[in-house]
Amino acid sequence: MPVAKITFRVKEDFWKELQVEVNSYLKADVVQAGFRRLHRKAAFIVAWTISWYLALVIMGNSWWQIILYGVPFVLGTLAAAFCIMHDGNHGGFSRSRRVNRQAGYVLEVLGGSSYTWRVKHNLAHHTYPNFDGLDEDIDQPPFARMTSTQEWKPWYKWQHLYLWFGYGLLTLKWQSFGDISVMIRGRITRFELKKPSAFEAGAFAIGKLIFIGWAFVIPLLLHLTWHGALGFAIAYLSLSWLFSFILAATFQLAHCTDEAQFTSDQDTDSNGKLPSSWAVHQVLATSDFCPGNRAITWFMGGLNYQLEHHLFPHTAHVHYPAIAAIVKQACLRHGLPYNCQPTLWSAVKAHYRHLKNMGQNPAASPANA
């Protein structure tokens, strides 16, 4: 599927040892207990989200009611995306492929496409995180410059300020035209999409209809006045911005920081091979944040343990805290950095510093003077 033949070094002792140690922890009873925890959690999230949605569309008649009912609803949809959809599309929600696919369809309910996600996220991002030209998460021109190999524009000097607002607009893009344009284009960065089957195309279309139904049709039918329609529009844009901001920032805090490493074609040899193995590349390009914070770990589906997720994406996220201790010791033994910001605030500052550094004009740096 990938157009560009970028390869890694062969597996080395670090990855071989790490797999043995993690597999030793993931015994059958541990895995099964993890699935039970995850499924109970998923049931709670679904019940929470539906309850707050009903409260919002039925009783959300004023700005304070929209905040009161809308914020918990948004947090519920985010938890569903982090904890159900994400695990499902990675094959980590269940032993059953069918159940995983059904969990992944939560993205369709939220207005996205699990079909394009599996190429953009699972294949491109998880294979080549922070690789300029292959990882779409850092491919943000003309809005932002995420790595030194990208062309600089004068307005990037303010990206550390305006981009935080822009994170809140990403959801509107893929809910409206983003996924549709990808399907038409048939490509994400250098990765080509297979022609969707009739079932996949049908799921894509039905998912859009379901999203339009709960996000637009039902609220408008229950508030069928110009005043109600205006209030709905303001509420939708505000809550959509909050959802998108938290979703986008979560992934940016884990990769676009001043300690994470970025690569490009310039780092490959004449055969298109990178200097590190796949596993080491994940270590160098990824950063955990606020480990030990049980509330954030629960809410984000373990995505604050981003390195563990990248190394073992098919594993249910409830195991990441335990796996993190194993990964950290393996990194120390093999002289590899274990990038980790101790708090959420320190992670935000690390991302802010990276945006500010990348926003500077490289031609004006001392090295180019």
Side-chain angles (χ1 to χ4, degrees):
M1 186 176 292
V3 177
K5 299 298 182 181
I6 304 297
T7 57
F8 298 93
R9 279 181 48 204
V10 296
K11 297 178 181 178
E12 76 293 80
D13 292 341
F14 165 73
W15 181 230
K16 293 177 182 177
E17 292 177 12
L18 185 58
Q19 285 180 298
V20 171
E21 293 171 356
V22 171
N23 288 335
S24 177
Y25 160 74
L26 292 172
K27 295 182 175 65
D29 58 333
V30 173
V31 172
Q32 194 58 40
F35 281 139
R36 288 195 294 269
R37 285 174 56 197
L38 179 55
H39 298 161
R40 288 195 299 268
K41 178 179 179 179
F44 172 80
I45 290 171
V46 171
W48 169 284
T49 307
I50 292 175
S51 299
W52 285 108
Y53 170 75
L54 293 175
L56 175 63
V57 297
I58 295 173
M59 297 182 288
N61 297 311
S62 63
W63 66 268
W64 66 267
Q65 290 173 325
I66 290 171
I67 295 174
L68 178 64
Y69 305 131
V71 171
F73 168 64
V74 168
L75 295 179
T77 58
L78 281 163
F82 288 142
C83 306
I84 303 174
M85 178 279 289
H86 194 249
D87 277 42
N89 277 321
H90 276 294
F93 188 80
S94 169
R95 293 185 185 275
S96 166
R97 182 178 180 183
R98 175 178 293 181
V99 173
N100 282 321
R101 184 57 60 89
Q102 291 169 345
Y105 284 143
V106 167
L107 186 56
E108 268 73 11
V109 176
L110 297 177
S113 167
S114 57
Y115 175 73
T116 59
W117 169 278
R118 287 192 295 271
V119 177
K120 175 184 180 297
H121 183 77
N122 294 11
L123 180 59
H125 172 69
H126 267 263
T127 306
Y128 303 103
N130 285 9
F131 190 106
D132 185 20
L134 289 175
D135 183 4
E136 194 182 54
D137 286 2
I138 64 168
D139 184 22
Q140 303 297 336
F143 305 106
R145 180 175 183 255
M146 292 295 182
T147 175
S148 60
T149 53
Q150 294 172 346
E151 184 181 3
W152 180 82
K153 300 292 184 182
W155 53 87
Y156 293 163
K157 68 177 70 174
W158 296 291
Q159 68 176 11
H160 60 289
L161 301 176
Y162 68 73
L163 206 57
W164 298 95
F165 173 78
Y167 289 157
L169 304 177
L170 293 177
T171 301
L172 291 174
K173 175 184 175 182
W174 51 260
Q175 286 177 341
S176 55
F177 63 87
D179 287 327
I180 296 175
S181 65
V182 168
M183 296 280 277
I184 294 173
R185 188 169 65 248
R187 182 186 295 271
I188 295 174
T189 63
R190 303 181 199 172
F191 290 83
E192 293 180 347
L193 276 72
K194 295 185 299 182
K195 183 179 179 180
S197 65
F199 180 84
E200 290 167 333
F204 181 88
I206 292 171
K208 292 295 183 185
L209 291 175
I210 292 174
F211 168 70
I212 292 171
W214 72 258
F216 298 98
V217 176
I218 293 176
L220 286 174
L221 287 176
L222 293 176
H223 303 275
L224 199 58
T225 64
W226 73 267
H227 183 270
L230 178 61
F232 158 75
I234 295 173
Y236 173 76
L237 292 174
S238 301
L239 296 177
S240 175
W241 187 92
L242 178 62
F243 175 93
S244 181
F245 173 80
I246 297 175
L247 186 69
T250 296
F251 291 100
Q252 295 295 72
L253 297 183
H255 293 288
C256 295
T257 67
D258 49 7
E259 61 186 358
Q261 188 175 107
F262 293 77
T263 51
S264 68
D265 290 317
Q266 298 176 9
D267 299 294
T268 62
D269 63 18
S270 58
N271 295 316
K273 181 174 289 187
L274 284 162
S276 60
S277 68
W278 172 85
V280 171
H281 181 84
Q282 308 303 312
V283 172
L284 298 177
T286 309
S287 177
D288 289 355
F289 57 92
C290 53
N293 189 315
R294 297 178 66 179
I296 288 179
T297 299
W298 189 95
F299 170 65
M300 290 186 171
L303 290 178
N304 53 320
Y305 290 95
Q306 188 75 193
L307 175 56
E308 289 68 32
H309 169 59
H310 267 254
L311 291 170
F312 300 96
H314 306 304
T315 302
H317 72 261
V318 296
H319 299 295
Y320 292 161
I323 292 175
I326 302 172
V327 173
K328 184 175 182 179
Q329 289 302 314
C331 288
L332 291 175
R333 284 199 310 270
H334 290 272
L336 294 172
Y338 184 80
N339 300 326
C340 183
Q341 292 293 336
T343 66
L344 181 61
W345 180 238
S346 66
V348 170
K349 290 192 293 185
H351 181 53
Y352 175 89
R353 288 193 300 269
H354 178 73
L355 292 179
K356 191 169 185 178
N357 290 336
M358 290 299 101
Q360 303 303 308
N361 185 354
S365 67
N368 295 312

Short mmCIF file of all heavy atoms in Angstrom, two decimals, residues 72-110:
data_model
loop_
_atom_site.label_atom_id
_atom_site.label_comp_id
_atom_site.label_asym_id
_atom_site.label_seq_id
_atom_site.Cartn_x
_atom_site.Cartn_y
_atom_site.Cartn_z
N PRO A 72 -20.49 17.73 29.84
CA PRO A 72 -20.41 16.28 30.13
C PRO A 72 -20.66 15.42 28.90
O PRO A 72 -20.06 14.34 28.75
CB PRO A 72 -21.51 16.08 31.18
CG PRO A 72 -21.70 17.41 31.80
CD PRO A 72 -21.48 18.40 30.70
N PHE A 73 -21.54 15.88 28.01
CA PHE A 73 -21.78 15.12 26.77
C PHE A 73 -20.53 15.07 25.91
O PHE A 73 -20.15 14.01 25.40
CB PHE A 73 -22.93 15.75 25.99
CG PHE A 73 -23.06 15.24 24.58
CD1 PHE A 73 -23.37 13.91 24.34
CD2 PHE A 73 -22.84 16.08 23.50
CE1 PHE A 73 -23.48 13.44 23.04
CE2 PHE A 73 -22.94 15.61 22.21
CZ PHE A 73 -23.26 14.28 21.97
N VAL A 74 -19.85 16.21 25.75
CA VAL A 74 -18.62 16.23 24.96
C VAL A 74 -17.56 15.33 25.59
O VAL A 74 -16.86 14.59 24.88
CB VAL A 74 -18.09 17.68 24.83
CG1 VAL A 74 -16.67 17.69 24.28
CG2 VAL A 74 -19.00 18.49 23.93
N LEU A 75 -17.43 15.38 26.91
CA LEU A 75 -16.46 14.51 27.58
C LEU A 75 -16.80 13.05 27.35
O LEU A 75 -15.91 12.20 27.19
CB LEU A 75 -16.42 14.83 29.07
CG LEU A 75 -15.91 16.21 29.45
CD1 LEU A 75 -15.96 16.41 30.96
CD2 LEU A 75 -14.49 16.44 28.94
N GLY A 76 -18.10 12.74 27.29
CA GLY A 76 -18.51 11.38 27.00
C GLY A 76 -18.14 10.94 25.59
O GLY A 76 -17.66 9.82 25.38
N THR A 77 -18.37 11.82 24.61
CA THR A 77 -18.02 11.47 23.23
C THR A 77 -16.50 11.32 23.07
O THR A 77 -16.04 10.46 22.33
CB THR A 77 -18.53 12.53 22.24
OG1 THR A 77 -18.00 13.82 22.58
CG2 THR A 77 -20.05 12.60 22.25
N LEU A 78 -15.74 12.15 23.78
CA LEU A 78 -14.29 12.02 23.74
C LEU A 78 -13.84 10.70 24.36
O LEU A 78 -12.97 10.00 23.81
CB LEU A 78 -13.64 13.19 24.48
CG LEU A 78 -13.56 14.50 23.71
CD1 LEU A 78 -13.30 15.66 24.67
CD2 LEU A 78 -12.47 14.45 22.64
N ALA A 79 -14.43 10.36 25.50
CA ALA A 79 -14.08 9.08 26.13
C ALA A 79 -14.43 7.92 25.22
O ALA A 79 -13.69 6.93 25.13
CB ALA A 79 -14.80 8.96 27.47
N ALA A 80 -15.56 8.02 24.50
CA ALA A 80 -15.94 6.97 23.55
C ALA A 80 -14.91 6.87 22.43
O ALA A 80 -14.55 5.77 21.99
CB ALA A 80 -17.33 7.24 22.99
N ALA A 81 -14.43 8.02 21.95
CA ALA A 81 -13.42 8.02 20.88
C ALA A 81 -12.10 7.45 21.38
O ALA A 81 -11.48 6.62 20.72
CB ALA A 81 -13.22 9.44 20.37
N PHE A 82 -11.67 7.89 22.56
CA PHE A 82 -10.38 7.45 23.10
C PHE A 82 -10.41 5.97 23.51
O PHE A 82 -9.45 5.23 23.25
CB PHE A 82 -10.02 8.28 24.33
CG PHE A 82 -9.61 9.70 24.04
CD1 PHE A 82 -9.99 10.72 24.90
CD2 PHE A 82 -8.83 10.01 22.94
CE1 PHE A 82 -9.60 12.03 24.65
CE2 PHE A 82 -8.44 11.31 22.68
CZ PHE A 82 -8.83 12.34 23.54
N CYS A 83 -11.47 5.56 24.18
CA CYS A 83 -11.48 4.27 24.87
C CYS A 83 -12.17 3.14 24.10
O CYS A 83 -11.88 1.97 24.37
CB CYS A 83 -12.16 4.42 26.23
SG CYS A 83 -11.47 5.72 27.28
N ILE A 84 -13.08 3.47 23.20
CA ILE A 84 -13.80 2.44 22.46
C ILE A 84 -13.37 2.43 21.01
O ILE A 84 -12.87 1.42 20.49
CB ILE A 84 -15.33 2.66 22.56
CG1 ILE A 84 -15.78 2.69 24.03
CG2 ILE A 84 -16.07 1.56 21.80
CD1 ILE A 84 -17.24 3.04 24.23
N MET A 85 -13.58 3.55 20.32
CA MET A 85 -13.23 3.63 18.90
C MET A 85 -11.76 3.35 18.66
O MET A 85 -11.40 2.54 17.79
CB MET A 85 -13.59 5.02 18.36
CG MET A 85 -13.23 5.24 16.89
SD MET A 85 -11.48 5.66 16.54
CE MET A 85 -11.41 7.33 17.19
N HIS A 86 -10.90 3.98 19.44
CA HIS A 86 -9.46 3.87 19.21
C HIS A 86 -8.99 2.43 19.41
O HIS A 86 -8.26 1.88 18.57
CB HIS A 86 -8.73 4.83 20.14
CG HIS A 86 -7.31 5.05 19.77
ND1 HIS A 86 -6.26 4.59 20.52
CD2 HIS A 86 -6.73 5.69 18.71
CE1 HIS A 86 -5.12 4.93 19.96
NE2 HIS A 86 -5.37 5.60 18.85
N ASP A 87 -9.38 1.81 20.52
CA ASP A 87 -9.01 0.41 20.74
C ASP A 87 -9.61 -0.49 19.67
O ASP A 87 -8.95 -1.42 19.19
CB ASP A 87 -9.47 -0.02 22.12
CG ASP A 87 -8.51 0.38 23.23
OD1 ASP A 87 -7.99 1.51 23.18
OD2 ASP A 87 -8.25 -0.43 24.13
N GLY A 88 -10.86 -0.22 19.30
CA GLY A 88 -11.51 -1.06 18.31
C GLY A 88 -10.82 -1.03 16.96
O GLY A 88 -10.57 -2.08 16.35
N ASN A 89 -10.46 0.15 16.49
CA ASN A 89 -9.80 0.26 15.19
C ASN A 89 -8.38 -0.27 15.19
O ASN A 89 -7.81 -0.53 14.13
CB ASN A 89 -9.84 1.71 14.70
CG ASN A 89 -11.14 2.06 14.02
OD1 ASN A 89 -11.70 1.26 13.28
ND2 ASN A 89 -11.64 3.26 14.27
N HIS A 90 -7.80 -0.43 16.39
CA HIS A 90 -6.48 -1.05 16.49
C HIS A 90 -6.57 -2.55 16.75
O HIS A 90 -5.54 -3.22 16.84
CB HIS A 90 -5.68 -0.39 17.62
CG HIS A 90 -4.97 0.86 17.21
ND1 HIS A 90 -3.94 0.87 16.28
CD2 HIS A 90 -5.13 2.15 17.59
CE1 HIS A 90 -3.50 2.10 16.12
NE2 HIS A 90 -4.21 2.90 16.89
N GLY A 91 -7.78 -3.07 16.90
CA GLY A 91 -7.93 -4.49 17.18
C GLY A 91 -7.64 -4.84 18.63
O GLY A 91 -7.31 -6.00 18.93
N GLY A 92 -7.76 -3.86 19.54
CA GLY A 92 -7.45 -4.11 20.93
C GLY A 92 -8.63 -4.08 21.87
O GLY A 92 -8.46 -4.16 23.08
N PHE A 93 -9.85 -3.99 21.33
CA PHE A 93 -11.03 -3.91 22.18
C PHE A 93 -11.55 -5.30 22.55
O PHE A 93 -12.19 -5.48 23.57
CB PHE A 93 -12.14 -3.12 21.47
CG PHE A 93 -13.34 -2.82 22.32
CD1 PHE A 93 -13.31 -1.78 23.22
CD2 PHE A 93 -14.49 -3.59 22.21
CE1 PHE A 93 -14.42 -1.50 24.02
CE2 PHE A 93 -15.60 -3.32 23.00
CZ PHE A 93 -15.56 -2.27 23.92
N SER A 94 -11.27 -6.28 21.72
CA SER A 94 -11.80 -7.63 21.92
C SER A 94 -10.93 -8.63 21.16
O SER A 94 -10.15 -8.25 20.27
CB SER A 94 -13.25 -7.70 21.42
OG SER A 94 -13.71 -9.03 21.36
N ARG A 95 -11.08 -9.90 21.52
CA ARG A 95 -10.43 -10.95 20.73
C ARG A 95 -11.13 -11.13 19.39
O ARG A 95 -10.56 -11.67 18.44
CB ARG A 95 -10.46 -12.27 21.49
CG ARG A 95 -9.61 -12.29 22.76
CD ARG A 95 -9.61 -13.69 23.35
NE ARG A 95 -8.92 -13.74 24.62
CZ ARG A 95 -7.61 -13.90 24.76
NH1 ARG A 95 -6.85 -14.00 23.68
NH2 ARG A 95 -7.06 -13.94 25.95
N SER A 96 -12.38 -10.70 19.31
CA SER A 96 -13.20 -10.88 18.11
C SER A 96 -12.95 -9.75 17.12
O SER A 96 -13.08 -8.57 17.46
CB SER A 96 -14.68 -10.92 18.49
OG SER A 96 -15.50 -10.78 17.35
N ARG A 97 -12.64 -10.10 15.89
CA ARG A 97 -12.45 -9.09 14.86
C ARG A 97 -13.74 -8.34 14.59
O ARG A 97 -13.73 -7.13 14.36
CB ARG A 97 -11.96 -9.77 13.57
CG ARG A 97 -11.68 -8.78 12.44
CD ARG A 97 -11.15 -9.50 11.22
NE ARG A 97 -10.87 -8.56 10.14
CZ ARG A 97 -10.45 -8.92 8.94
NH1 ARG A 97 -10.23 -10.21 8.67
NH2 ARG A 97 -10.23 -8.02 8.01
N ARG A 98 -14.87 -9.05 14.65
CA ARG A 98 -16.16 -8.39 14.40
C ARG A 98 -16.47 -7.37 15.49
O ARG A 98 -16.92 -6.25 15.19
CB ARG A 98 -17.27 -9.43 14.34
CG ARG A 98 -18.67 -8.83 14.21
CD ARG A 98 -19.74 -9.89 14.11
NE ARG A 98 -19.63 -10.64 12.86
CZ ARG A 98 -20.46 -11.62 12.51
NH1 ARG A 98 -21.46 -11.96 13.33
NH2 ARG A 98 -20.30 -12.25 11.36
N VAL A 99 -16.23 -7.73 16.73
CA VAL A 99 -16.48 -6.79 17.82
C VAL A 99 -15.56 -5.57 17.71
O VAL A 99 -15.98 -4.43 17.94
CB VAL A 99 -16.30 -7.49 19.19
CG1 VAL A 99 -16.39 -6.47 20.33
CG2 VAL A 99 -17.36 -8.57 19.36
N ASN A 100 -14.31 -5.81 17.36
CA ASN A 100 -13.38 -4.68 17.16
C ASN A 100 -13.88 -3.75 16.07
O ASN A 100 -13.83 -2.52 16.22
CB ASN A 100 -11.99 -5.21 16.79
CG ASN A 100 -11.23 -5.72 17.99
OD1 ASN A 100 -11.29 -5.14 19.08
ND2 ASN A 100 -10.50 -6.80 17.82
N ARG A 101 -14.36 -4.32 14.98
CA ARG A 101 -14.86 -3.48 13.89
C ARG A 101 -16.10 -2.69 14.33
O ARG A 101 -16.24 -1.51 14.00
CB ARG A 101 -15.18 -4.35 12.68
CG ARG A 101 -15.64 -3.59 11.44
CD ARG A 101 -14.61 -2.57 10.98
NE ARG A 101 -13.34 -3.16 10.66
CZ ARG A 101 -13.00 -3.63 9.46
NH1 ARG A 101 -13.87 -3.58 8.47
NH2 ARG A 101 -11.80 -4.13 9.25
N GLN A 102 -16.96 -3.33 15.11
CA GLN A 102 -18.14 -2.64 15.62
C GLN A 102 -17.76 -1.50 16.56
O GLN A 102 -18.34 -0.42 16.52
CB GLN A 102 -19.07 -3.63 16.33
CG GLN A 102 -19.72 -4.63 15.38
CD GLN A 102 -20.43 -5.76 16.11
OE1 GLN A 102 -20.22 -5.98 17.30
NE2 GLN A 102 -21.26 -6.50 15.39
N ALA A 103 -16.77 -1.73 17.41
CA ALA A 103 -16.28 -0.67 18.30
C ALA A 103 -15.67 0.47 17.49
O ALA A 103 -15.83 1.64 17.82
CB ALA A 103 -15.26 -1.23 19.29
N GLY A 104 -14.99 0.11 16.41
CA GLY A 104 -14.39 1.13 15.56
C GLY A 104 -15.41 2.02 14.88
O GLY A 104 -15.11 3.19 14.58
N TYR A 105 -16.63 1.50 14.68
CA TYR A 105 -17.67 2.28 14.02
C TYR A 105 -18.19 3.42 14.89
O TYR A 105 -19.01 4.23 14.42
CB TYR A 105 -18.83 1.38 13.60
CG TYR A 105 -18.54 0.56 12.37
CD1 TYR A 105 -19.01 -0.75 12.25
CD2 TYR A 105 -17.78 1.08 11.32
CE1 TYR A 105 -18.75 -1.51 11.13
CE2 TYR A 105 -17.51 0.33 10.20
CZ TYR A 105 -17.99 -0.97 10.10
OH TYR A 105 -17.70 -1.72 8.98
N VAL A 106 -17.73 3.51 16.13
CA VAL A 106 -18.04 4.69 16.94
C VAL A 106 -17.58 5.95 16.21
O VAL A 106 -18.21 7.01 16.31
CB VAL A 106 -17.36 4.60 18.32
CG1 VAL A 106 -17.39 5.94 19.06
CG2 VAL A 106 -18.05 3.52 19.17
N LEU A 107 -16.51 5.84 15.44
CA LEU A 107 -16.02 7.00 14.68
C LEU A 107 -17.04 7.44 13.65
O LEU A 107 -17.21 8.64 13.41
CB LEU A 107 -14.69 6.67 14.01
CG LEU A 107 -13.99 7.83 13.30
CD1 LEU A 107 -13.78 9.00 14.25
CD2 LEU A 107 -12.65 7.38 12.74
N GLU A 108 -17.74 6.49 13.02
CA GLU A 108 -18.79 6.85 12.07
C GLU A 108 -19.92 7.62 12.78
O GLU A 108 -20.45 8.59 12.24
CB GLU A 108 -19.35 5.60 11.40
CG GLU A 108 -18.69 5.20 10.11
CD GLU A 108 -17.30 4.62 10.27
OE1 GLU A 108 -16.90 4.33 11.42
OE2 GLU A 108 -16.59 4.44 9.27
N VAL A 109 -20.28 7.16 13.97
CA VAL A 109 -21.33 7.84 14.74
C VAL A 109 -20.92 9.27 15.06
O VAL A 109 -21.76 10.17 15.11
CB VAL A 109 -21.63 7.05 16.02
CG1 VAL A 109 -22.65 7.79 16.89
CG2 VAL A 109 -22.16 5.65 15.69
N LEU A 110 -19.63 9.49 15.24
CA LEU A 110 -19.12 10.83 15.55
C LEU A 110 -18.85 11.67 14.31
O LEU A 110 -18.34 12.78 14.41
CB LEU A 110 -17.84 10.72 16.38
CG LEU A 110 -18.00 10.05 17.75
CD1 LEU A 110 -16.64 9.94 18.45
CD2 LEU A 110 -18.99 10.81 18.62
#
